[in-house]
Amino acid sequence: MSSSTESFIVSAPGKVIIFGEHSAVYGKPAIAAALSLRCFLLVAPSADTNVIRLQFPDIELDHSWDKSSIKWDEIQKLLKFDNKGYPVPPSELVPEIVDKLSDMLDGFERNSVHHLACFCFLYLYASLCDEECPGMTFIVRSTLPIGAGLGSSASTAVCLSAALSKLAGWIKDPQVHESDNTPEQDIEDLEFIDRWSLIGEKCFHGNPSGIDNAVATHGGAVMFQRNSEPGKPSTRTGIRTLPPVKLLLTNTKVPKSTAQLVGGVSKLNSKYTSIITPVLDSMGNLVQEAYRVMTHPDFGSEETAILRELVNINHGLLVALGVSHPALEKVKLIGDEMKIGATKLTGAGGGGCAITLVNDDADESTLYQAILEYERQGYESFETSLGGKGVGMLFQSDVADDKKFSPDVFCNHANRLEIETALAVENVPEWKFW
């Protein structure tokens, strides 16, 4: 096992479901895509090589542990390794490992956001590193709204999985720049990060689908379909070739209950099966059409125009299932009136977020006016894009002296805009990917 003490930053995107939410529960395919809103993790040497420190300024978390408090010998015996000596992620969290980490989580309210973040970090650290790894400081910053259904926990788990895998020498450093069209050479490294990030997601969510971390790892988009047989994994088909598509994401800030919304569709389907089943079938067919368009070898303006038509149809089908909300309809109404693009709810509905695939001819001033109108309604909008790169790394040694990053500066970026200005993939050409 090798280790490195050079400072570096890892970044992974959030995700948004574009097509097929709710019908996915009934075995139909759905498509999720990466967002240019991302999580960033700075890894820097600790002053004391025996100390590991986790800082998450966005949730006011700052906690340190002495590495010797990890029960290394006992945990190592509970890990599985393949024939190359690489750690193999378990299908579920290992209860004995959870138990051996419990003392290190004393003082955190169980299942609070601080408890879950520390639990994810420690479980991955104890599984991927060993006591020879030097103490490091891990600082997480995110431009993703937390708890808005945009995969913020998955992008955090992917960043941690990649960073710890690098520190422990399980993966090679990435070599591909964002502007390169080189096909991925290190798919094994990405699969390793993906599989271990799912373990991190299980620390946060118990039984996640694996879609969020797959998109955060690989970028682009993913079509996924739940297996109708219990216990069988979902089918995932990557769409890594999707070029960035301009998107406006609007968070209504209306709280929602996914379980209640899914339950409501189930009741409607039971009561009016002959009506609702064709709606769900139509959504499945719509996703297949979207997949065909998104994988077009010469994806361009004609394909984005078709996707906008499909966005409007998909929203109408979701309205028919009763999962929209007056706030979401307001977002769509404003977007339609100002002709900025095609808008639909995303995720469970009943509040939460809407996405607008922006028209090719929508100018910045009109878009700005729409964002102002959304703000007047109490909503928050983000200009972002669909598709783009997955997990990447930025090394201190690669950037010019005037661009060097430090824990203090990284912690003190005041808001999303400052983080993106300093670190966004499109602003910093030194980022590298697998």
Side-chain angles (χ1 to χ4, degrees), residues 356-373:
T356 302
L357 258 61
V358 177
N359 288 334
D360 293 341
D361 59 358
D363 59 65
E364 280 301 321
S365 62
T366 307
L367 210 52
Y368 179 68
Q369 290 303 316
I371 290 170
L372 284 181
E373 184 55 40

Side-chain angles (χ1 to χ4, degrees), residues 158-194:
V158 168
C159 286
L160 287 170
S161 173
L164 296 169
S165 298
K166 180 213 162 20
L167 285 175
W170 301 123
I171 58 173
K172 297 183 289 293
D173 288 351
Q175 302 296 330
V176 179
H177 288 278
E178 199 259 343
S179 56
D180 296 341
N181 290 319
T182 315
E184 66 274 10
Q185 301 298 314
D186 301 309
I187 197 73
E188 284 185 13
D189 286 343
L190 285 176
E191 287 298 331
F192 187 87
I193 293 166
D194 188 13

Side-chain angles (χ1 to χ4, degrees), residues 43-369:
V43 183
S46 291
D48 183 341
T49 57
N50 292 313
V51 171
I52 49 174
R53 182 180 182 188
L54 179 64
Q55 293 178 265
F56 206 145
D58 303 312
I59 57 171
E60 299 179 344
L61 171 65
D62 185 350
H63 199 80
S64 299
W65 297 268
D66 192 305
K67 279 196 300 140
S68 63
S69 58
I70 298 174
K71 297 170 181 171
W72 292 110
D73 291 344
E74 296 172 49
I75 290 173
Q76 286 285 316
K77 290 173 186 169
L78 296 164
L79 298 173
K80 298 274 195 296
F81 296 87
D82 65 14
N83 54 12
K84 294 180 183 174
Y86 281 53
V88 178
S91 56
E92 301 296 338
L93 299 181
V94 179
E96 293 87 348
I97 294 179
V98 174
D99 182 57
K100 292 184 190 310
L101 295 172
S102 59
D103 289 353
M104 301 177 71
L105 293 164
D106 281 350
F108 293 107
E109 182 186 342
R110 189 167 175 75
N111 292 329
S112 66
V113 67
H114 285 191
H115 176 269
L116 294 173
C118 291
F119 177 39
C120 172
F121 170 70
L122 288 172
Y123 196 103
L124 290 177
Y125 190 89
S127 299
L128 291 168
C129 296
D130 66 16
E131 52 199 324
E132 300 302 316
C133 274
M136 304 291 274
T137 295
F138 301 82
I139 308 171
V140 183
R141 299 300 308 270
S142 185
T143 64
L144 283 157
I146 293 169
L150 301 175
S152 61
S153 64
S155 59
T156 302
V158 168
C159 286
L160 287 170
S161 173
L164 296 169
S165 298
K166 180 213 162 20
L167 285 175
W170 301 123
I171 58 173
K172 297 183 289 293
D173 288 351
Q175 302 296 330
V176 179
H177 288 278
E178 199 259 343
S179 56
D180 296 341
N181 290 319
T182 315
E184 66 274 10
Q185 301 298 314
D186 301 309
I187 197 73
E188 284 185 13
D189 286 343
L190 285 176
E191 287 298 331
F192 187 87
I193 293 166
D194 188 13
R195 290 196 302 270
W196 275 103
S197 67
L198 179 58
I199 296 300
E201 268 279 78
K202 289 185 178 193
C203 294
F204 280 113
H205 292 304
N207 188 29
S209 68
I211 301 310
D212 290 16
N213 53 284
V215 173
T217 302
H218 297 280
V222 171
M223 182 168 75
F224 61 96
Q225 191 163 4
R226 180 179 288 184
N227 197 310
S228 56
E229 293 182 49
K232 291 289 179 72
S234 303
T235 304
R236 296 189 330 215
T237 310
I239 315 172
R240 289 197 72 185
T241 52
L242 177 70
V245 177
K246 195 169 183 181
L247 184 81
L248 189 67
L249 174 73
T250 303
N251 185 1
T252 66
K253 301 184 182 176
V254 174
K256 64 191 187 313
S257 164
T258 300
Q260 283 181 6
L261 289 153
V262 170
V265 174
S266 177
K267 284 180 187 172
L268 209 59
N269 190 39
S270 298
K271 190 173 182 180
Y272 303 108
T273 306
S274 63
I275 299 170
I276 300 302
T277 297
V279 175
L280 298 168
D281 289 341
S282 292
M283 289 174 72
N285 293 333
L286 184 149
V287 171
Q288 296 288 2
E289 176 64 14
Y291 177 77
R292 186 189 66 77
V293 172
M294 292 167 78
T295 53
H296 194 283
D298 299 311
F299 187 99
S301 57
E302 190 176 326
E303 285 69 36
T304 52
I306 296 170
L307 289 185
R308 283 193 289 271
E309 290 177 343
L310 295 177
V311 161
N312 283 324
I313 296 168
N314 200 164
H315 182 77
L317 294 170
L318 288 163
V319 170
L321 295 180
V323 296
S324 190
H325 182 277
L328 292 165
E329 294 306 312
K330 189 78 174 175
V331 173
K332 182 161 177 63
L333 181 66
I334 292 168
D336 289 352
E337 284 179 342
M338 300 186 77
K339 296 184 170 59
I340 59 170
T343 302
K344 67 178 281 291
L345 68 87
T346 181
C353 294
I355 55 172
T356 302
L357 258 61
V358 177
N359 288 334
D360 293 341
D361 59 358
D363 59 65
E364 280 301 321
S365 62
T366 307
L367 210 52
Y368 179 68
Q369 290 303 316

